[in-house]
Amino acid sequence: MQPLLINTFTTTTALGRGLTDTLSALRAQRSGLQARSWETVDLPTCLGEVDGLDAINLRADMQAFDCRNNRLAQLALEQDGFMQSVQTAAEHYGRQRIGVFLGSSTSGILSSEQAYRQRDPVSGALPASHSYRHTHNMFSVADFVRHYADLQGPACVVSTACSSSAKVFGIAQRMIGCGLIDAAVVGGVDSLCLTTVYGFNSLQLISNRPCMPFDAQRDGISIGEGAAFILLERADQAQTDDLLLSGVGESSDAHHMSSPHPEGRGARLAMQAALDMAGLQPQTIGYINLHGTATPSNDAVEDLGVTAVFGTNTPCSSTKGHTGHTLGAAGSVEAVICALALRHDFLPGGVGTRTPDPRLHCNYLLTNQEQAITHALSNSFGFGGSNCSLLFSRKRA
């Protein structure tokens, strides 16, 4: 593939608003996970909540979209000059030539959960104020972003659980490669809701403490929320030190609805496909941001896949101990973390992990490393065996 230029990027998670907060928390190895009261959750667990979301007011002309998910989207869009970059691109390319491709696992489902408490006692009807189309509908967040930024190109939302907002990079790559668009806003938005907290709890996948990826005592995930946006465009004029999307690898396990293939076959295929698309050898990769959910089986399977492709020397870590598992937003949040690693010559050590599992053999970082790298890989592996690996590069002189 022809690499794509990463024009601008931003993320907002439990670590804070925008890149400065995120980088500061990564450097300090600070976790955003806390045992805290949220909504009606009555479980012993820790959450990665974005502070202040309930106080966010949507722009006056966007009130129909009001829900937690779209408030998070607006908050993130306004960080790091992202909206200004989108408007500059729109003036350059034309508003019809910019696509919007986003990932989300549950969209604004919390709005429907809350509306169900207000059903008409006789008819059971939801309150008239509840707008499913603008909040809960899976397309809602792309519809919101498209209108918020006044863009008129193609738009869609991918919902393949934890790989959702990684797979959108592939859509942008194909659409730009075919000449259908010149630039794309990609990313992911997923906010806290009762469905995911209680759903993962029913699967016995939630830890009652901050998650511990790749630790010998890991016992499940911590749910987080987050949003990330990246503006991609052709890299014809890329300059030294610019950041690039250089490879996208996708695969399907075709094995089980919720469990990964026990030998990590699908994960391995996705990583190798990203390398092949970029024309890179495994030894050139300087850092891998693992999917690293902290469930016993997922981490073991990912370790098999990583060591099969890269051996045991490539530095890697999971940043879900920092942010929690942001589900449909995780692919893009962790893509932004890879971009920060490339820009700042910095490899984040995993938070929450105390004693790496001796049965796992990848080179898991417990502490930060200051190290110049040229290529970084980000893994996202979702329910149903939906896998996506993204390769990012820094253009060197």
Side-chain angles (χ1 to χ4, degrees), residues 91-105:
E91 292 169 7
H92 179 69
Y93 294 116
R95 297 187 182 278
Q96 296 179 335
R97 297 291 296 175
I98 301 179
V100 176
F101 311 118
L102 304 177
S104 185
S105 68

Side-chain angles (χ1 to χ4, degrees), residues 261-264 268 271 299-309 360:
H261 190 283
E263 297 173 4
R268 191 168 67 236
M271 289 184 276
D299 287 2
V301 165
E302 185 171 14
D303 182 73
L304 286 173
V306 168
T307 55
V309 176
L360 308 182

Side-chain angles (χ1 to χ4, degrees), residues 28 131 147 162 223 273 334-335 377 389:
S131 175
H147 281 86
C162 312
I223 300 284
E334 291 158 18
L377 183 89
S389 295

Side-chain angles (χ1 to χ4, degrees), residues 112-132:
S112 291
E113 293 170 343
Q114 293 170 333
Y116 264 77
R117 299 175 191 155
Q118 303 169 40
R119 283 179 297 172
D120 184 283
V122 177
S123 68
L126 296 175
S129 59
H130 176 57
S131 175
Y132 174 88

Side-chain angles (χ1 to χ4, degrees), residues 73-226:
Q74 177 176 292
L75 180 62
L77 285 169
E78 293 296 342
Q79 307 302 315
D80 299 308
F82 190 82
M83 277 299 296
Q84 291 90 332
S85 294
V86 170
Q87 295 311 310
T88 299
E91 292 169 7
H92 179 69
Y93 294 116
R95 297 187 182 278
Q96 296 179 335
R97 297 291 296 175
I98 301 179
V100 176
F101 311 118
L102 304 177
S104 185
S105 68
T106 53
S107 192
I109 194 173
L110 178 66
S111 63
S112 291
E113 293 170 343
Q114 293 170 333
Y116 264 77
R117 299 175 191 155
Q118 303 169 40
R119 283 179 297 172
D120 184 283
V122 177
S123 68
L126 296 175
S129 59
H130 176 57
S131 175
Y132 174 88
R133 171 187 168 183
H134 291 100
T135 59
H136 182 168
N137 183 291
M138 192 54 67
F139 185 62
S140 167
V141 67
D143 199 18
F144 172 78
V145 170
R146 195 166 179 261
H147 281 86
Y148 192 84
D150 190 21
L151 298 176
Q152 300 168 13
C156 72
V157 170
V158 173
S159 186
T160 53
C162 312
S163 64
S164 302
S165 64
K167 292 176 74 69
V168 297
F169 286 82
I171 294 174
Q173 178 259 323
R174 292 187 286 273
M175 296 283 275
I176 293 175
C178 289
L180 296 174
I181 55 175
D182 295 310
V185 173
V186 300
V189 186
D190 238 349
S191 49
L192 293 175
C193 65
L194 301 173
T195 299
T196 51
V197 174
Y198 282 98
F200 279 98
N201 183 65
S202 70
L203 293 171
Q204 300 180 321
L205 292 177
I206 285 189
S207 177
N208 60 13
R209 57 189 175 185
C211 67
M212 306 167 69
F214 278 66
D215 193 282
Q217 301 300 316
R218 67 188 183 281
D219 60 358
I221 71 173
S222 300
I223 300 284
E225 60 186 350

Side-chain angles (χ1 to χ4, degrees), residues 212-287:
M212 306 167 69
F214 278 66
D215 193 282
Q217 301 300 316
R218 67 188 183 281
D219 60 358
I221 71 173
S222 300
I223 300 284
E225 60 186 350
F229 294 103
I230 302 94
L231 177 60
L232 297 173
E233 58 188 15
R234 295 184 187 281
D236 305 337
Q237 306 299 320
Q239 305 294 312
T240 298
D241 290 333
D242 277 346
L243 301 181
L244 305 168
L245 170 68
S246 47
V248 180
E250 298 176 79
S251 71
S252 172
D253 281 4
H255 170 70
H256 190 271
M257 288 180 65
S258 59
S259 297
H261 190 283
E263 297 173 4
R265 291 181 185 174
R268 191 168 67 236
L269 287 172
M271 289 184 276
Q272 187 62 56
L275 288 169
D276 292 345
M277 182 178 285
L280 294 172
Q281 296 300 311
Q283 61 270 24
T284 63
I285 306 306
Y287 170 68

Side-chain angles (χ1 to χ4, degrees), residues 214 271 275 281-290 303 305-318 347-348 361-366 369 371 373 375-379 391:
F214 278 66
M271 289 184 276
L275 288 169
Q281 296 300 311
Q283 61 270 24
T284 63
I285 306 306
Y287 170 68
I288 300 172
N289 188 289
L290 301 165
D303 182 73
V306 168
T307 55
V309 176
F310 295 94
T312 58
N313 292 323
T314 305
C316 53
S317 65
S318 166
L347 311 185
H361 303 293
C362 65
N363 180 16
Y364 194 87
L365 300 178
L366 293 179
Q369 288 187 6
Q371 182 177 330
I373 58 172
H375 308 288
L377 183 89
S378 179
N379 283 338
L391 240 170

